[in-house]
Each structure stands twice: as C-alpha cells, then as structure tokens.
Amino acid sequence: MRVNLPIHNVETKLREDQYLISRTDTKGRIVYANPAFVEVSGFSHEELIGKAHNIVRHPDMPPEAYEDLWETLQAGESWLGLVKNRRKDGGFYWVLANATPIVENGEVVAYSSVRVRPSDEQIAMAEALYARMREGTANGVRILRGRPVRAGWRRGLDVLAFPFKRGVRSRMLRHALLSAGFVAVAGAYGLHANWDKLDTMGAGLGCAAIGLGVLAIFGMGWRLSRFLLDPMVDAANMARQVAAGNLTTQIVAESDDEVGSLKFSLDVMRKSLIGIAQDVYRGIEGTTLAAAHISRGNQELAGRTEGQASSLQQTAASMEQLTATVRENADNARQANQLAASSMDVARRGGVAVGQVVDTMHGISDSSRKIADIVSIIEGIAFQTNILALNAAVEAARAGESGKGFAVVAGEVRTLAQKSAQAAKEIKGLIEDSVERVAEGSLQAEQAGATMQEIVAAVHRVTDIIGEISRASQEQSSGIEQVDTAVSQMDVMTAQNTALVQDLGGAVMQLGSQSGALRDTIRVFRLTGQQ
C-alpha cells in the first residue's frame, strides 16, 4: 500500500458548505476534481489530474478500509464511510465519503466520490476503530460497505437482532411476525374451544387453515416489502448516480400508483438537470469564446498601447531636447540682442567720435592754411630782409672803411634772411603736404562718418531683427513647453491606459479562468455516454 510522507498533526476542518467532488477512471486515476477538493487537499489542479487517487491517502487509514472500498465498487454498489486524507503539506482532514460507480449501459465507466464534513462524534468513533485495526486489536469487527460490522460468530448475533432493528425490512418483519402470531393464536384458540366438536378431518383442516393463514401473511409481507423496497432501492441507486453527476441513468415508471409517481418524478428531475446542465454548457462555451475574444483584443490593444507609450516616450525625449535647444536659442538670442544693443551704442559713439575727428581735421586743415599764410608772410619778410641786406651791403661798400662793420652785419643778416627764406620754403612745402594729407584725411573721415552712420543704421536694423527673433524664441519656447507638458500628460495618460489595459487583461484572464473552472465544475454531469 502506498505510504505518503511526511505527516504532521495539523487538521483542516471542512466547512459545512464545502463539498469535495472527484471522479476517477476504472484504474483509479483522477479525471475530475472540483475547486473545493483542490483547495482542501492543498494540491494544484494540475498535480491531481491524471494521478492515482491514493495521492491523498493518509498512513493512519487501515488497508482493510480501502480493500472494502474497491470490493464494494467493483461489485457495482456504493460505499459510504469515514476517511482520513492527507494534505500536500502533511496535514490531514476528515471526510464522510460516498463513492459510487458510474454505470452506463450496464457497464461501470468511472467512479465518483462526494465528500462532506462529518460530525465530531463520527470522527471520534472512526479514529478509535481505525487505531484498533492498525494495532490488530479490533477483533470481531470488520468494514462492510464502509461501515463497521461484527465478524465471525458475532455476526449471528446481528442476524438474531435483525427483527429488532430500526430498518424498514425489520419493521415489516416484525409486522408480519406479529400478524402471524395473532392469526396463530386466534386459530389455536378457536380450535381449542371447538376441539371436542371436531373430528380428525376437521381438526386437520383447521390446523392447515391456520398454517396457510400464517404463510399467507408472511407471503403478503414479503411481496409488500419487495413492492415497496425494490423501487426505493432503484430510486436510491438513481439518486446516487445523479449525486455522482451521472445523468444518463434512467428509471422507468411501471405503474401509475405512488411508486410509479416517485419513479416518474425522479426521471423528470433527471431530465430537468440535463436541460439545466446543457444550458449551462452552452452558456459556458459562449462565455469562454467571448472571454477568449476579449483577451485577444485586449492583448492587441495592450500591444498598441505599449507601442504608443514607447512612441510618446521618444516624442517626450525629443521634445525635451527641442525645448532645451529652443531655450538655449532664446538665451543666445537674448544675449545677441543685448550685444546688438551694446554694438549699436558703440557704433553710435563711434559715429560721434568720427564726427568729432572730422571736425578736428577740418580745424587742423584751417590751422594749416593759416600757418601757410603766416609762412608766406615770413617768406616775404625774409625776401625783403634779404633785399635790405643787399642794400645795406651796397651802402657799406660805398662807405668804405667806416662801413666794413656794418657790411659784416649786413652779410650776416643776409645769410639769416636766406636761411629763413630756405626754412620758410621747406616749412611751406611740409605744410602744403600736411594740408593735402589733412584734406585727404578729412575726406576719409567724412567717408568714415558716413559709413559709421550706415553701420549705426544697419546695427539698429539688426537689433530690431534680433529683438523680434528673441521675442519669437520666447514665444516658441513657451509653446514648446506647453506641448511638452501636453506630451507629458499624454504619457501619463498612456501609462494609466496601459495599467488599465493590464487590469482589464487580468480581469479577462480571471474571467477565463473562472469560466474554465465553471466548465470543469459542470463537467461533473455526464449527459451522454460519449462525454
């Protein structure tokens, strides 16, 4: 026998509303397990399906109980008994198990088990009995169809005690015995009262009549018990099959009396359950298809949303870079505007300075002309001085010896006059050259002044253009910041949509799993032999 270890003494109690349902094939492999069974056993659905049902067997269960279970099921009968099962984590739970063979066309095709919560008294009695059976001290007791019965010679005591039991057969047997006793006592009393009047034949006929009456009572009781109990057994078997989920079992009403009405009502209940199960099947299939369609659409939507989110993230990154560039351009434009304004001031000051230079050059030119006039006067004076010196030299020569000193002075004066004339001539040449250059510089200064005025006008226009660019850059920066904010909000909304899509996907998956669980649950009903 399989021994599942480890185990520990932690009990899981079933709730009153928990019904553990499972189905195995003829080899004992699990083919169906409802969610309650999965929850209480601790195994997953995948760990149970296809595995032998003894995966939940607890070592405390005596082998005799399982031997009786399989003997009963293979005989085509139902088994009802207390079972201690092992959880996956090593704990245990007690169930009152009703195992029933599923019969189709007279052949056992599967086994179904429905387990409910037992009472504490039932658990205590079963635990004590199973402990004695494991220890080998349960003498005179064995398991029969899941229930403890006496064995050996003690079985005779149960046979003797049968008429005094509370069952229907025992009650009917008591009724037959009591009726037969009354008939026998009444007949014996009548024979005894008239014994002297009866001959031998009459006495024999009287005894025979009493015996036939007793036999008739027992025969009527047996026939009545068959008439009442056999349909009840059939109804109980059908109810077990229905409880096991087998809706293919049929029961035929052979009469119109109360028993026939019971069979007819049971068959109507079976057909009603078939209709309900078929409707549920169709609803589940529709729900499953709808959930699958929603799931596919949700996956596509999730993919598109993720793509949109990725695009928005790239767009947001590009907008951030563009915003930074526009900000930098706006700052540069602002600085260029400031530099242009400064350049315009410098150009204006340069224009003023050039104007002043032009005025100065004009003054220098005028002064040079005046100097040239003065030099001309000095040259005339030197010329006249030279003539006077010549005249003085002539007069000194006429004077003879007395005019020699004066002649020397006149010669020196003449020499100085010549040098003055020569210097005045050179100064005049330099001044004329300076005047020409001053005139040329004045002309260039005027041209520079005109150019500076043009530069000032150009810088002014550049300043205006740069100012407009600065204002446009600021407006562009503000607009891009708004777009960036909008893109960020769209990014947040897309992330929220993605989260919502994921939640919707989870809900759809949960709906699909619930639909699958409901489909697995409704699969407990067998509607056709090919299901």
Side-chain angles (χ1 to χ4, degrees):
M1 186 182 76
R2 175 172 177 170
V3 178
N4 297 315
L5 295 175
I7 58 173
H8 55 75
N9 197 30
V10 177
E11 181 180 6
T12 299
K13 285 187 173 293
L14 271 69
R15 300 191 305 270
E16 291 293 342
D17 60 344
Q18 279 184 318
Y19 308 102
L20 280 57
I21 303 175
S22 64
R23 180 180 293 157
T24 61
D25 58 15
T26 54
K27 301 296 184 181
R29 293 185 293 264
I30 301 174
V31 296
Y32 170 78
N34 73 333
F37 182 30
V38 173
E39 177 186 356
V40 175
S41 68
F43 292 92
S44 66
H45 187 267
E46 291 73 17
E47 291 174 329
L48 291 174
I49 300 300
K51 301 298 188 299
H53 203 285
N54 57 15
I55 190 175
V56 296
R57 179 178 294 176
H58 199 281
D60 289 350
M61 285 297 295
E64 295 85 351
Y66 291 107
E67 293 174 0
D68 176 67
L69 168 66
W70 283 109
E71 288 177 0
T72 303
L73 293 179
Q74 291 173 358
E77 299 179 359
S78 296
W79 187 90
L80 179 65
L82 272 293
V83 178
K84 183 179 184 179
N85 284 334
R86 174 185 175 272
R87 286 174 48 86
K88 180 181 179 180
D89 58 8
F92 68 94
Y93 59 96
W94 281 94
V95 293
L96 178 60
N98 182 17
T100 303
I102 298 177
V103 181
E104 292 182 2
N105 300 323
E107 182 180 357
V108 176
V109 296
Y111 301 104
S112 179
S113 179
V114 180
R115 307 171 190 83
V116 297
R117 176 180 177 177
S119 64
D120 294 338
E121 293 78 9
Q122 290 175 324
I123 293 175
M125 292 176 60
E127 198 164 20
L129 174 62
Y130 293 162
R132 295 206 317 271
M133 294 180 71
R134 291 195 307 270
E135 296 168 358
T137 59
N139 298 325
V141 180
R142 70 185 183 95
I143 302 296
L144 180 63
R145 297 185 181 88
R147 300 174 184 176
V149 297
R150 296 179 181 181
W153 62 268
R154 296 177 179 82
R155 183 64 176 168
L157 297 177
D158 291 336
V159 173
L160 294 177
F162 178 76
F164 303 100
K165 292 184 177 180
R166 300 179 59 183
V168 176
R169 294 183 185 274
S170 299
R171 293 173 184 269
M172 296 186 72
L173 178 59
R174 288 199 298 270
H175 182 271
L177 289 175
L178 186 60
S179 299
F182 277 121
V183 170
V185 170
Y189 179 76
L191 287 176
H192 178 71
N194 299 299
W195 188 262
D196 296 336
K197 300 178 182 179
L198 297 175
D199 54 9
T200 303
M201 182 177 294
L205 290 174
C207 292
I210 293 173
L212 289 174
V214 171
L215 291 176
I217 291 173
F218 275 101
M220 291 177 62
W222 178 80
R223 188 178 179 88
L224 179 61
S225 65
R226 289 290 303 273
F227 180 77
L228 293 177
L229 297 180
D230 287 352
M232 292 179 62
V233 172
D234 293 340
N237 290 332
M238 180 182 177
R240 292 191 186 95
Q241 292 294 316
V242 172
N246 182 21
L247 301 181
T248 63
T249 302
Q250 297 183 5
I251 187 170
V252 180
E254 299 174 349
S255 61
D256 295 333
D257 55 8
E258 292 81 359
V259 175
S261 177
L262 173 61
K263 291 184 176 181
F264 177 76
S265 298
L266 288 175
D267 192 57
V268 170
M269 178 192 70
R270 180 185 69 86
K271 293 178 180 178
S272 176
L273 289 175
I274 289 176
I276 294 172
Q278 289 175 342
D279 292 340
V280 172
Y281 268 118
R282 286 190 290 268
I284 289 172
E285 291 300 325
T287 303
T288 303
L289 292 175
H293 181 70
I294 293 173
S295 179
R296 287 193 298 270
N298 187 67
Q299 288 177 355
E300 294 178 0
L301 178 60
R304 289 196 295 269
T305 303
E306 289 179 358
Q308 185 181 7
S310 177
S311 300
L312 278 173
Q313 289 177 355
Q314 294 177 358
T315 303
S318 300
M319 289 301 297
E320 289 179 359
Q321 295 177 356
L322 181 59
T323 302
T325 303
V326 170
R327 283 202 190 99
E328 185 176 358
N329 290 337
D331 293 337
N332 293 334
R334 194 178 299 107
Q335 294 176 2
N337 189 21
Q338 294 175 356
L339 291 175
S342 300
S343 299
M344 188 175 66
D345 293 336
V346 173
R348 189 179 294 110
R349 289 196 300 272
V352 173
V354 169
Q356 291 176 355
V357 169
V358 171
D359 293 339
T360 303
M361 292 299 294
H362 283 300
I364 293 172
S365 180
D366 293 339
S367 299
S368 297
R369 291 192 189 95
K370 291 179 180 179
I371 292 172
D373 293 339
I374 294 170
V375 169
S376 296
I377 294 172
I378 293 172
E379 187 179 9
I381 293 172
F383 180 73
Q384 290 176 2
T385 302
N386 188 24
I387 292 174
L388 290 174
L390 287 174
N391 291 328
V394 171
E395 291 295 330
R398 287 178 181 174
E401 233 12 82
S402 58
K404 287 182 179 179
F406 187 73
V408 174
V409 173
E412 291 296 331
V413 170
R414 183 182 178 189
T415 301
L416 290 173
Q418 290 176 348
K419 289 181 180 179
S420 296
Q422 183 65 29
K425 188 181 293 183
E426 291 177 359
I427 291 171
K428 184 178 181 180
L430 291 175
I431 288 174
E432 289 178 352
D433 185 58
S434 297
V435 169
E436 291 177 359
R437 292 184 179 180
V438 167
E440 184 178 359
S442 178
L443 180 60
Q444 291 177 353
E446 290 178 355
Q447 293 176 352
T451 303
M452 287 300 297
Q453 291 296 329
E454 294 178 358
I455 290 173
V456 169
V459 169
H460 184 70
R461 289 195 299 273
V462 170
T463 301
D464 293 339
I465 293 172
I466 291 177
E468 293 178 359
I469 292 174
S470 178
R471 288 191 296 272
S473 296
Q474 290 178 355
E475 293 177 358
Q476 186 179 13
S477 176
S478 176
I480 290 178
E481 286 179 356
Q482 293 177 357
V483 173
D484 187 25
T485 303
V487 170
S488 300
Q489 292 176 354
M490 289 177 64
D491 190 19
V492 173
M493 293 176 65
T494 303
Q496 293 175 350
N497 290 338
T498 302
L500 181 60
V501 167
Q502 291 176 352
D503 293 341
L504 179 60
V508 170
M509 291 180 63
Q510 185 178 5
L511 176 61
S513 62
Q514 290 177 352
S515 177
L518 182 59
R519 182 178 61 250
D520 292 338
T521 301
I522 201 66
R523 279 179 56 197
V524 73
F525 292 111
R526 298 180 64 85
L527 308 182
T528 61
Q530 290 77 25
Q531 182 183 7

